Amino acid sequence: QVQLVESGGGLVQAGGSLRLSCVASGSDFSIDVMAWYQQAPGKQRELVAIITKGGRINYSDSVKGRFTISADNAKNTVYLQMNSLKPEDTAVYYCNADVVIGGKGFRYWGQGTQVTVSS
């Protein structure tokens, strides 16, 4: 079993910045991929950014150039630096991890952290 705990959400004015963190904890697991998703009210959950164990990174078109995903593998932590925030970035942000436990793959989600961008 792996737990993901996000932090760093909050209320910020348009043009401002926030840094989200997500820590994975548990025993005897390894992380293959970690990602951030956003879910705005009334909308489906959408991928924002993804980083693989090998360091490959991808972003959604809506955040390219504004958001940066990074990871500290030693701490099982992934970060999302969000700059030049827009009101349309308002959403609950979820951390996601694809992990291997005992040779089997599992996917876990965090509880989400609210990001609100005021105009």
Side-chain angles (χ1 to χ4, degrees):
Q1 187 75 5
V2 173
Q3 292 78 42
L4 301 178
V5 178
E6 302 107 331
S7 61
L11 173 64
V12 64
Q13 288 188 333
S17 299
L18 284 174
R19 189 191 194 208
L20 306 183
S21 300
C22 173
V23 181
S25 62
S27 60
D28 298 324
F29 70 98
S30 63
I31 298 173
D32 281 347
V33 179
M34 294 192 81
W36 288 97
Y37 286 73
Q38 65 179 192
Q39 187 167 19
K43 294 187 177 181
Q44 290 186 333
R45 194 172 297 186
E46 297 179 340
L47 177 66
V48 173
I50 188 168
I51 184 167
T52 69
K53 183 178 181 180
R56 182 173 294 180
I57 291 173
N58 275 300
Y59 298 98
S60 67
D61 288 342
S62 63
V63 307
K64 278 181 183 176
R66 300 188 298 121
F67 291 10
T68 302
I69 190 171
S70 61
D72 185 334
N73 294 332
K75 295 182 179 180
N76 289 329
T77 301
V78 65
Y79 306 95
L80 186 68
Q81 178 67 42
M82 305 186 294
N83 298 329
S84 301
L85 282 161
K86 304 175 181 180
E88 50 264 44
D89 295 321
T90 295
V92 178
Y93 285 74
Y94 295 91
C95 176
N96 164 281
D98 288 342
V99 306
V100 176
I101 302 174
K104 297 182 180 180
F106 299 87
R107 174 165 290 183
Y108 292 94
W109 292 90
Q111 81 287 354
T113 185
Q114 177 70 47
V115 172
T116 303
V117 184
S118 63
S119 58

